[in-house]
């Protein structure tokens, strides 16, 4: 058992609100975690409850004990694999169902059934049309979009063949997948088949089961998530670097505060647009507020921040704390990562908790449907409800922590290549050159959630700082990105302060922060695309697994994170998770993930709860790849040169 930790969060704003909650006897996730210890057998993945003869517990045998099996005879590795695969199925389903909803909205727009959304990025639309073989000619954008929508829709229900975006991967990678038989046919099919194969008495060979686990994970990364990202970019705009602010200090005492929390950006987009409407501002003023202040939470925050500059109130573990400020007039939620605990915390204040999606209601809260035929009207109704609630705020209960930080976000794969190569010859060449010459040692994706079982934000920051110090450029998404932003790592000035000399020089020259915010968790697909672009630019091998790169989710908690981890591993990336690992109860299956996968995919899982050590493992992997590419000496030279120059200058 790890020692009882002392601080709950390294984030000052969060600490202040945790203290306020304690003073006011309001229970939050932090208190509930103290009361509810994780079940040790479940935590290590050694419990099967897939039939009513169980649940069966098969923890690792000690000493001369015989390893127990389930009542049906299922071995410990089968049970471990089954549990892991069900996490993948749930994660892949979540991202993909999000993708499906986006495609549905896109289709309504293309059919002219709603005029509230338009094509924002024509370039991207045409590029998608080319990729998908959709005729362009002199057809209207909506005609083209409709064809694209139908093709994307079909990706979910397709029964055979290969998912279209598989072609976006490096050639060599596609061959690896084909040879192993893990290329997804249709997104829904892979999730359904995985649920089937993990049912009692079906696939009881962990290696075979994991092949389907991989197929369902790839159907997320190179399927559902990628579709979501691409279509959102078409409809809401491809993100470009945008300046904003983050943390609970973005809430305003004299304004109607609306927090939009969850994942799917359609409603959030509309709220961001309508929130600007002078008429609604006037309405807010009629209720005694100065105006309307919209702020985001969790992945939705990332989506609207990078496209509209809407400030971010906080990441996953701050959702209840936002309400504890007493200043939130409405918290508007859709799907995923929304704690039911919000309802109880909201009851201690005037805050209206509004669910908007018929797939995700919460008992005892207000439901206001987001009507995809009338997004604008839905958004306005929600804003009005928030305004109407403003007079109910009890000023004596309001305390907003005066903590916020600037950040620049919105580094899509496209903007990275513009920034590096210039508008007219956008390319990854300068990035590749700087990796080859050793100024940049490698690339790391640090992504994923917060987890109340570790100090909030701490693991992200320790890991990222260690990587930066060692000249590793960090790409980040999700709640990890927000952790980095809160600590001031997402402004260009951070380069000088936190980076090794090589990385600092590159960031300062290009004018980018050393941690690039690529968006929400579905935008991990942007990391796949960026990695592929680096491969295609040349000089660093011919597959993602050749790149000096690594991935991590040091504070993961959701099933989505496991799906993401698996598609990164299967795409050739060394991927290390923190907090806990859901298969550690079984050595054989864990070895399959940690060792066999390297031979199969060139990428593999690892587990290291100490974030500084995990960063070292990532750097070791990066160095191993540099050596294999024959560019390890270049780095020594460039560091030596820089030292010489500094001595001469000094
Ligand atoms: Fe959820 Fe996406 Fe995890 Fe954050 S990082 S806790 S999944 S909001 Ni996606
Ligand atoms: Fe136990 Fe087998 Fe049923 Fe799982 S499927 S609960 S191992 S009997």
């Amino acid at each position: 058992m790890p020692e009882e930790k002392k601080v709950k969060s390294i984030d000052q704003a969060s600490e202040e609100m945790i203290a306020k909650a304690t003073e006011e006897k309001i229970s939050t996730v932090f208190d509930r975690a103290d009361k509810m210890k994780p079940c040790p057998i479940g935590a290590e993945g050694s419990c099967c409850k897939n039939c009513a003869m169980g649940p069966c517990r098969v923890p690792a045998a000690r000493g001369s004990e015989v390893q127990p099996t389930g009542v049906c005879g299922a071995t410990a590795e089968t049970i471990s694999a089954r549990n892991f695969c069900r996490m993948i199925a749930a994660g892949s389903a979540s991202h993909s169902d999000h993708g499906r909803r986006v495609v549905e909205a896109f289709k309504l727009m293309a059919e002219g059934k709603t005029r509230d959304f338009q094509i924002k990025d024509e370039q991207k639309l045409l590029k998608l049309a080319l990729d998908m073989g959709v005729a362009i000619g002199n057809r209207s954008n909506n005609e083209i979009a409709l064809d694209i929508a139908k093709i994307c829709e079909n990706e979910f229900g397709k029964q055979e063949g290969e998912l279209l975006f598989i072609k976006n991967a490096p050639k060599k990678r596609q061959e690896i997948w084909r040879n192993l038989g893990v290329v997804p046919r249709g997104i829904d099919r892979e999730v359904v088949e995985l649920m089937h194969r993990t049912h009692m008495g079906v696939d009881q060979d962990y290696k075979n089961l994991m092949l389907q686990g991989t197929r369902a994970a790839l159907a997320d990364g190179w399927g559902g998530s990628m579709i979501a990202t691409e279509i959102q970019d078409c409809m809401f705009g491809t993100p470009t670097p945008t300046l904003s602010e983050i943390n609970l200090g973005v809430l305003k005492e004299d304004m109607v505060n609306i927090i939009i929390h969850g994942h799917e950006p359609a409603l959030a987009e509309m709220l961001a647009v309508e929130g600007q409407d002078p008429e609604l501002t006037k309405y807010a003023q009629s209720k005694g507020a100065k105006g309307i202040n919209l702020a985001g939470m969790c992945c939705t925050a990332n989506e609207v921040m990078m496209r509209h500059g809407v400030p971010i109130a906080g990441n996953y573990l701050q959702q209840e704390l936002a309400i504890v400020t007493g200043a939130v007039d409405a918290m508007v939620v859709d799907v995923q990562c929304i704690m039911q605990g919000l309802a109880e915390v909201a009851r201690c204040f005037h805050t209206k908790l509004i669910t908007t999606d018929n797939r995700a209601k919460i008992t005892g809260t207000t439901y206001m449907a987001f009507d995809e035929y009338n997004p604008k009207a839905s958004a306005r109704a929600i804003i009005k409800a928030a305004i109407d609630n403003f007079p109910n705020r009890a000023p004596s209960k309001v305390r907003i922590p005066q903590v916020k930080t600037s950040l620049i976000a919105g580094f899509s794969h496209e903007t990275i290549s513009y920034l590096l190569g210039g508008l007219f010859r956008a390319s990854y060449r300068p990035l590749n050159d700087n990796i080859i010459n050793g100024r940049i040692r490698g690339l790391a994706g640090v992504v994923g959630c917060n987890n109340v079982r570790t100090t909030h934000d701490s693991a992200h920051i320790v890991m990222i700082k260690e990587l930066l110090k060692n000249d590793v450029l960090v790409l980040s998404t999700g709640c990890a990105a927000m952790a980095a932003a809160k600590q001031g790592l997402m402004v260009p000035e951070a380069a000088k302060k936190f980076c090794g000399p090589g990385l600092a020089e590159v960031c300062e020259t290009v004018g980018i922060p050393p941690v690039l915010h690529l968006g929400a968790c579905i935008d991990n697909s942007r990391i796949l695309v960026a990695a592929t672009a680096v491969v295609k630019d040349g000089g660093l091998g011919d597959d993602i697994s050749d790149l000096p790169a690594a991935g991590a989710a040091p504070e993961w908690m959701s099933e989505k994170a496991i799906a993401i981890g698996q598609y990164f591993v299967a795409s050739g990336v060394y991927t290390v998770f923190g907090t806990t690992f859901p298969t550690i109860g079984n050595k054989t299956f864990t070895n399959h993930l940690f060792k066999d996968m390297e031979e199969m995919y060139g990428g593999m899982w690892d587990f290291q709860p100490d974030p500084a050590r995990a960063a070292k493992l990532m750097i070791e992997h990066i160095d191993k790849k540099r050596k294999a590419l024959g560019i390890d000496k270049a780095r020594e030279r460039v560091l030596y040169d820089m030292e010489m120059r500094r001595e001469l200058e000094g």
Side-chain angles (χ1 to χ4, degrees):
M1 272 274 118
E3 226 183 283
E4 200 63 37
K5 55 187 197 265
K6 295 192 186 62
V7 291
K8 306 275 190 201
S9 174
I10 58 160
D11 168 38
Q12 192 202 329
S14 298
E15 278 286 316
E16 280 178 33
M17 286 305 102
I18 293 168
K20 182 173 188 274
T22 310
E23 271 164 42
E24 295 172 19
K25 300 204 168 36
I26 298 164
S27 153
T28 66
V29 59
F30 297 95
D31 308 296
R32 295 189 297 269
D34 286 342
K35 284 201 201 109
M36 171 82 71
K37 290 296 162 207
C39 162
I41 299 173
E44 59 170 50
S46 300
C47 170
C48 178
K49 55 178 187 57
N50 291 13
C51 92
M53 301 196 290
C56 302
R57 297 161 308 280
V58 291
R62 265 173 259 252
S64 59
E65 268 172 38
V66 181
Q67 170 70 55
T69 64
V71 172
C72 65
T75 61
E77 43 271 16
T78 294
I79 289 171
S80 188
R82 236 166 15 198
N83 288 332
F84 193 71
C85 283
R86 286 231 159 159
M87 296 181 89
I88 294 177
S92 183
S94 305
H95 289 135
S96 300
D97 211 39
H98 167 168
R100 184 198 325 271
R101 273 290 164 104
V102 174
V103 171
E104 281 170 355
F106 188 64
K107 195 172 167 206
L108 288 179
M109 171 214 74
E111 291 171 332
K113 290 186 179 154
T114 165
R115 301 202 181 281
D116 298 350
F117 292 126
Q118 294 95 28
I119 305 281
K120 280 260 182 65
D121 186 344
E122 195 179 22
Q123 290 278 11
K124 191 140 207 176
L125 181 83
L126 299 180
K127 193 197 147 276
L128 276 180
L130 283 177
D131 286 353
M132 295 180 169
V134 169
I136 297 174
N138 42 23
R139 302 169 79 208
S140 74
N141 278 352
N142 273 355
E143 283 172 306
I144 296 169
L146 186 57
D147 281 358
I148 292 175
K150 285 180 182 160
I151 291 172
C152 288
E153 216 170 34
N154 190 42
E155 290 293 281
F156 293 92
K158 218 158 71 176
Q159 299 301 321
E160 30 177 53
E162 298 185 345
L163 287 186
L164 280 174
F165 285 151
I166 293 298
K167 284 193 311 223
N168 290 353
K171 286 255 153 28
K172 198 166 163 194
R173 183 59 26 191
Q174 298 178 37
E175 281 320 306
I176 292 172
W177 291 335
R178 285 191 192 107
N179 289 336
L180 288 166
V182 297
V183 178
R185 296 154 291 187
I187 297 161
D188 295 352
R189 175 163 194 178
E190 305 316 346
V191 175
V192 169
E193 184 171 319
L194 191 54
M195 290 306 283
H196 174 200
R197 283 165 67 165
T198 50
H199 184 276
M200 191 275 143
V202 188
D203 204 347
Q204 291 157 112
D205 174 315
Y206 66 92
K207 289 186 181 169
N208 199 47
L209 190 48
M210 204 44 221
L211 288 174
Q212 183 59 21
T214 301
R215 184 137 69 160
L218 291 173
D220 175 354
W222 298 85
S225 281
M226 203 171 273
I227 289 174
T229 295
E230 297 289 295
I231 300 297
Q232 283 172 190
D233 282 357
C234 279
M235 197 161 42
F236 308 135
T238 301
T240 50
T242 306
L243 175 69
S244 190
E245 293 179 315
I246 182 166
N247 217 339
L248 296 171
V250 306
L251 297 173
K252 301 216 165 91
E253 209 159 331
D254 49 7
M255 294 231 206
V256 176
N257 290 307
I258 305 176
I259 291 190
I260 167 84
H261 168 25
H263 282 80
E264 297 179 6
L267 169 63
E269 276 284 320
M270 262 301 101
L271 288 172
V273 174
E274 293 307 303
Q276 312 278 331
D277 179 29
E279 207 179 290
L280 285 172
T281 304
K282 234 186 253 158
Y283 185 60
Q285 285 160 350
S286 78
K287 301 280 175 180
K290 280 221 174 95
I292 302 160
N293 181 40
L294 187 66
M297 180 127 280
C298 280
C299 281
T300 288
N302 292 328
E303 302 272 11
V304 281
M305 189 265 127
M306 21 180 224
R307 295 197 178 93
H308 297 278
V310 170
I312 301 179
N315 54 3
Y316 176 70
L317 280 181
Q318 291 180 284
Q319 53 186 286
E320 291 169 315
L321 303 179
I323 297 182
V324 172
T325 63
V328 176
D329 303 296
M331 182 173 278
V332 184
V333 303
D334 61 357
V335 291
Q336 300 169 22
C337 302
I338 296 144
M339 291 190 201
Q340 189 166 1
L342 287 174
E344 206 38 56
V345 179
R347 264 191 281 281
C348 303
F349 297 90
H350 77 301
T351 307
K352 218 176 175 129
L353 182 60
I354 304 175
T355 59
T356 59
D357 190 304
N358 58 9
R359 294 167 299 176
K361 295 188 179 178
I362 299 176
T363 311
T365 65
T366 311
Y367 173 64
M368 294 178 77
F370 173 60
D371 172 3
E372 49 272 280
Y373 287 89
N374 289 300
K376 194 184 254 183
S378 305
R380 293 182 77 87
I382 289 168
I383 295 173
K384 278 210 174 109
I387 296 173
D388 287 335
N389 196 27
F390 178 79
N392 299 328
R393 205 193 273 181
S396 64
K397 281 184 143 188
V398 174
R399 198 157 85 220
I400 301 173
Q402 295 308 306
V403 181
K404 58 180 178 181
T405 314
S406 299
L407 79 153
I408 294 176
F411 293 90
S412 57
H413 134 73
E414 290 83 350
T415 48
I416 296 176
S417 75
Y418 288 149
L419 282 174
L420 292 167
L423 195 52
F424 297 105
R425 32 175 200 93
S427 91
Y428 275 69
R429 199 64 245 158
L431 177 63
N432 285 29
D433 285 344
N434 278 307
I435 295 174
I436 293 166
N437 72 26
R439 282 192 172 77
I440 297 177
R441 189 172 190 161
L443 306 172
V446 181
V447 306
C449 321
N450 290 143
N451 185 322
V452 74
R453 301 297 175 192
T454 65
T455 305
H456 173 224
D457 286 350
S458 166
H460 289 305
I461 300 310
V462 170
M463 172 179 282
I464 292 175
K465 285 189 177 165
E466 188 64 32
L467 292 167
L468 296 181
K469 210 165 69 192
N470 285 284
D471 294 308
V472 177
L473 179 67
V474 176
L475 313 181
S476 192
T477 59
C479 292
M482 296 187 233
K486 282 186 275 174
Q487 300 299 321
L489 298 172
M490 287 192 172
V491 285
E493 303 81 72
K496 210 183 194 120
K497 225 160 135 195
F498 298 103
C499 299
L503 180 60
E505 191 183 324
V506 176
C507 290
E508 283 174 348
T509 311
V510 186
I512 51 171
V515 184
L516 300 181
H517 190 319
L518 272 78
C521 291
I522 55 141
D523 295 324
N524 283 319
S525 60
R526 295 190 202 276
I527 299 184
L528 297 176
V529 176
T532 306
V534 172
V535 170
K536 288 189 176 152
D537 215 84
L540 290 168
D542 50 12
D543 179 43
I544 297 174
S545 67
D546 295 331
L547 299 177
E555 299 179 30
W556 79 280
M557 63 88 201
S558 80
E559 293 168 313
K560 291 179 285 174
I562 293 294
I564 294 169
Q566 183 57 35
Y567 73 64
F568 268 98
V569 167
S571 299
V573 182
Y574 168 77
T575 304
V576 54
F577 271 37
T579 62
T580 179
F581 201 82
T583 68
I584 38 170
N586 187 264
K587 261 215 184 89
T588 312
F589 183 61
T590 304
N591 273 338
H592 181 55
L593 299 176
F594 288 23
K595 301 214 165 77
D596 301 350
M597 294 248 158
E598 181 166 23
E599 269 154 51
M600 298 168 71
Y601 300 104
M604 62 292 204
W605 285 94
D606 206 348
F607 168 54
Q608 175 50 261
D610 176 335
R613 280 164 73 179
K616 293 223 167 71
L617 292 171
M618 295 164 83
I619 294 165
E620 272 168 30
H621 181 80
I622 285 170
D623 285 348
K624 179 171 110 182
K625 294 294 170 183
R626 292 191 68 88
K627 195 155 186 211
L629 288 164
I631 55 172
D632 47 332
K633 294 280 168 334
R635 178 168 159 78
E636 283 157 28
R637 255 192 324 270
V638 82
L639 290 180
Y640 179 74
D641 281 355
M642 278 191 279
E643 202 142 294
M644 293 261 297
R645 198 159 3 126
R646 204 155 300 152
E647 262 165 28
L648 288 177
E649 280 167 1

